[in-house]
Amino acid sequence: MATVILFPWRSIFFGRISISAFISLKSSIRNRKNIFIGKRIHINDFVVLWPSQLSIGAYSQINPGTAIYGKVTIGKYVMIAPNCMLAGANHSFGDRNTPMMFQGSFSKGGIVIEDNVWIGANCVILDGVTIGTGSIIAAGSVVSRSVAPYTILGGNTAKIIRIRT
């Protein structure tokens, strides 16, 4: 219950956040009003949250060095290992006469991570991907397509290793 005493300011700065959530003061958070966090969430040091919309279900964990951008929905009991990138948006680049930096961004629908998913260290999850319930993403994988429930993926670009039984 120490988080209640140490972090009472959270209800002021965030849209909706459970009082039992832990968010490290060493994390970087923007667009706070677009973040919705369930109970017993653990967001560790040096996590970067710059979402257009972010929802995190109960008992999920985001480890150091992970960055989350764009529209992302994370289910319950999700483990995200260190140094992952969840990019729920893309830069626009259609006008060759305008620097890409000034062309804005677009999304293919964001990222959806369903319940009970384990994402290994140094993974990249791209916009438009849904990771099914109970899936495991091996360390160092790049996920550019949706993942069926209870699938273990690995590699760059990620391929099915096996189905969990």
Side-chain angles (χ1 to χ4, degrees), residues 63-131:
N63 281 297
T66 294
I68 299 175
Y69 298 95
K71 182 180 178 185
V72 178
T73 302
I74 299 172
K76 298 179 287 189
Y77 309 104
V78 173
M79 299 179 295
I80 300 176
N83 302 315
C84 292
M85 164 64 81
L86 282 68
N90 297 284
H91 290 283
S92 297
F93 55 87
D95 182 359
R96 291 176 16 172
N97 297 317
T98 303
M100 288 181 275
M101 175 183 258
F102 300 118
Q103 291 190 42
S105 62
F106 69 95
S107 178
K108 297 177 184 175
I111 297 169
V112 176
I113 300 172
E114 295 178 353
D115 298 340
N116 192 27
V117 170
W118 174 19
I119 298 174
N122 301 309
C123 286
V124 176
I125 314 294
L126 299 176
D127 185 29
V129 167
T130 296
I131 298 177

Side-chain angles (χ1 to χ4, degrees), residues 15-26:
R16 284 186 286 182
I17 182 170
S18 170
I19 198 72
S20 62
F22 171 80
I23 300 173
S24 171
L25 291 174
K26 295 179 183 175

Side-chain angles (χ1 to χ4, degrees), residues 32-44:
R32 294 179 185 107
K33 301 236 183 229
N34 298 330
I35 298 174
F36 305 94
I37 297 177
K39 66 180 181 176
R40 304 281 181 172
I41 301 304
H42 198 100
I43 298 175
N44 284 297

Side-chain angles (χ1 to χ4, degrees), residues 136-139 141 151-155 158-164:
I136 299 171
I137 310 300
S141 298
T151 302
I152 300 174
L153 284 170
K159 307 253 187 281
I160 296 174
I161 295 172
R162 70 176 213 188
I163 306 297
R164 291 180 61 202

